Amino acid sequence: SDQAKMRTSTVTLSILVMSLTGANNPVTKQMKENIEDISRFLKLELISDVKQNNGYIGESLKLTKKTANNILDYVEKSMTETSDKVQKTFETLTQGLTQNFKEIQNKSTSNLNTLQKLITDNEITITAAFTKNLNSIVEKIEARMKQHEDFMTTSVAVCAEAFSHMSRG
């Protein structure tokens, strides 16, 4: 396109220069024919090519715009779908975590209650066993003291009887 403009400008400039310099009649005639050929070429070939190119460019722009709009629509649709999937995934995750935490809380409460009952039962068992053993020890000590007292009483009585014939004084 730029080359065609440059050639046309060169030819036009050459024609003007020759016309002004007063070239002879056969040269002028040849130049006139060349100008007519160039004019016909410009009217018949170049202008229709330019019009067709403009049409192609316009159509290409329309297709490019249509393609760009299709791409934008696709991207928007994909982003919306992805956003919806991510939101649904987060909701499912949140529900799962909430349910898991509730289960953990219920299990921990149950375990704590079981542990408290076990501690209470163990305290009762230990207290009962301790009390039984302590009572047994006290009974044995009392029995031992009774034996000791009986022994002492018996020993004192025997001694008193043995020494009763002795005079006092």
Side-chain angles (χ1 to χ4, degrees):
S1 176
D2 287 336
Q3 287 181 342
K5 287 180 184 177
M6 195 164 93
R7 287 182 190 158
T8 305
S9 298
T10 305
V11 169
T12 307
L13 184 63
S14 300
I15 292 170
L16 279 173
V17 169
M18 292 181 135
S19 299
L20 293 174
T21 58
N24 64 17
N25 203 15
V27 172
T28 305
K29 184 177 176 189
Q30 182 63 42
M31 286 177 44
K32 186 175 180 186
E33 287 175 7
N34 287 342
I35 290 173
E36 287 173 359
D37 286 343
I38 291 172
S39 293
R40 259 192 311 276
F41 171 76
L42 289 174
K43 286 180 186 176
L44 298 176
E45 301 289 328
L46 192 60
I47 291 176
S48 65
D49 280 352
V50 169
K51 285 181 181 178
Q52 279 183 337
N53 284 343
N54 283 341
Y56 292 144
I57 289 170
E59 188 177 319
S60 177
L61 288 175
K62 286 178 187 176
L63 287 176
T64 303
K65 183 178 178 182
K66 184 178 177 182
T67 303
N69 285 335
N70 287 343
I71 291 170
L72 288 174
D73 290 344
Y74 174 78
V75 168
E76 183 178 345
K77 181 181 173 187
S78 295
M79 292 295 285
T80 301
E81 288 175 0
T82 302
S83 174
D84 291 344
K85 286 178 184 177
V86 168
Q87 184 175 358
K88 190 172 185 176
T89 300
F90 278 129
E91 287 172 358
T92 303
L93 183 64
T94 301
Q95 289 171 354
L97 287 173
T98 301
Q99 183 178 353
N100 287 346
F101 282 131
K102 284 181 181 178
E103 288 177 11
I104 290 170
Q105 185 181 18
N106 291 339
K107 191 68 173 173
S108 295
T109 301
S110 173
N111 287 343
L112 182 62
N113 289 339
T114 302
L115 188 59
Q116 284 178 324
K117 184 178 181 332
L118 186 61
I119 289 171
T120 303
D121 290 350
N122 284 345
E123 283 178 352
I124 292 170
T125 302
I126 290 170
T127 303
F130 180 75
T131 303
K132 180 180 174 185
N133 288 339
L134 186 61
N135 286 339
S136 175
I137 290 172
V138 169
E139 286 174 7
K140 287 178 183 177
I141 289 175
E142 286 177 349
R144 189 69 150 163
M145 287 179 73
K146 174 98 169 101
Q147 280 179 345
H148 184 66
E149 192 175 293
D150 287 346
F151 176 72
M152 288 301 283
T153 305
T154 305
S155 293
V156 171
V158 169
C159 282
E161 187 65 33
F163 295 108
S164 65
H165 64 280
M166 296 178 126
S167 63
R168 295 183 181 179

